[in-house]
Amino acid sequence: MNLPEGLVRAIPHVRSVCVLTGAGISAESGVPTFRGDDGLWKKFRPEELANVDAFLSNPSVVWEWYAYRRRLISEVHPNDGHRALVRLESLVDDLLVVTQNVDGLHQEAGSTKVVEIHGNIRRNHCHACKREMDVDLLQQAGPPSCPQCGGMVRPSVVWFGEMLPMAAFGTAELAARRCDLFLSVGTSGVVYPAASLPFTAKNSGAYLLEIDPEETQLTRYADGVVRASASVGLTAVVAVFEQQKVRS
């Protein structure tokens, strides 16, 4: 596929890459967006379940919803987009994947430098004392009690109204500031503070590339746009990096 000329010219000089991924890359693996699900959960909006108040007032319902989501995610696998980022990690001096997804597919594919700014649905922790728990031991109808303090155990994801993990987001910001190339992949660009990262990179001198089949809020600010799915777009971009390495 044809890539933006500015990107092709920039790639030989790229040493540091920061990648922001959103729901688009996971959707290609079959991860549902959990909006308009069939059955019991269809009557709920995610905002009604993914928040602290819902968990405290009706913990069993929230826990069961996340158990349902985990079962669905356990059945999907990384796609060519995830695998392309694994290859890219080996081709540049510095790469960080910053993901808004909670499915763990980047790590499953083999990426070793991943920051999960919205958490990971495969993990749990105590809502009271923050102690981490093993998800494999917690397959039951309602949230178990923490053996340390007796508090309720919850999924280790960032709920609506909660702050992002500051250390993780700080790492993401540093990567955005130092990168030569910033890739925005499969994300709408409307969820802050994650949506600020492309602008942090661009204002620091990075080439900003959007990979998305649809126009987003970021499109008009991007230096280049690839109108393709995450797997197709990332595979094409990484192929240019690989060609450059062969030449060098």
Side-chain angles (χ1 to χ4, degrees):
M1 66 180 304
N2 293 327
L3 296 176
E5 291 183 7
L7 173 68
V8 176
R9 290 195 300 269
I11 282 177
H13 309 289
V14 170
R15 298 293 177 268
S16 178
V17 180
C18 184
V19 187
L20 175 64
T21 65
I25 191 169
S26 290
E28 289 189 72
S29 288
V31 175
T33 61
F34 305 107
R35 296 180 184 275
D37 290 324
D38 292 332
L40 170 65
W41 308 115
K42 189 173 184 179
K43 64 183 179 181
F44 294 100
R45 293 184 299 115
E47 293 84 355
E48 295 177 301
L49 295 170
N51 67 79
V52 172
D53 290 341
F55 181 65
L56 295 178
S57 63
N58 204 340
S60 293
V61 171
V62 173
W63 182 264
E64 289 171 16
W65 186 56
Y66 277 94
Y68 163 71
R69 291 183 60 177
R70 284 175 176 138
R71 287 194 296 272
L72 294 179
I73 287 173
S74 70
E75 298 171 356
V76 303
H77 304 284
N79 59 58
D80 286 344
H82 297 104
R83 288 186 283 270
L85 291 177
V86 177
R87 301 206 313 273
L88 184 57
E89 186 177 318
S90 69
L91 296 170
V92 295
D93 298 332
D94 173 40
L95 180 141
L96 183 70
V97 176
V98 181
T99 187
Q100 298 168 280
N101 301 326
V102 299
D103 48 48
L105 290 177
H106 285 296
Q107 295 93 323
E108 187 177 330
S111 287
T112 63
K113 300 174 182 178
V114 181
V115 169
E116 297 171 312
I117 57 176
H118 290 166
N120 190 309
I121 199 172
R122 305 181 193 218
R123 297 193 298 265
N124 297 280
H125 68 269
C126 174
H127 183 67
C129 72
K130 313 306 179 188
R131 178 181 177 179
E132 292 188 2
M133 306 288 174
D134 187 345
V135 67
D136 294 330
L137 302 179
L138 302 173
Q139 301 302 320
Q140 60 184 67
S145 298
C146 173
Q148 178 168 292
C149 74
M152 288 192 296
V153 175
R154 55 165 282 182
S156 293
V157 298
V158 177
W159 281 333
F160 291 100
E162 291 186 316
M163 297 287 291
L164 297 187
M166 297 310 296
F169 191 72
T171 299
E173 281 194 309
L174 287 175
R177 288 195 186 101
R178 71 172 178 262
C179 71
D180 307 307
L181 172 63
F182 189 98
L183 304 178
S184 178
V185 184
T187 177
S188 62
V190 297
V191 179
Y192 280 83
S196 68
L197 293 173
F199 297 101
T200 297
K202 186 176 176 69
N203 291 338
S204 300
Y207 185 98
L208 174 56
L209 180 72
E210 178 182 64
I211 300 176
D212 200 289
E214 305 291 338
E215 184 173 338
T216 73
Q217 295 293 320
L218 183 64
T219 300
R220 64 181 181 274
Y221 303 104
D223 297 303
V225 175
V226 175
R227 279 286 165 259
S229 65
S231 59
V232 171
L234 283 171
T235 298
V237 170
V238 173
V240 178
F241 274 92
E242 291 172 330
Q243 292 166 6
Q244 178 62 30
K245 186 171 184 178
V246 169
R247 293 193 192 102
S248 61

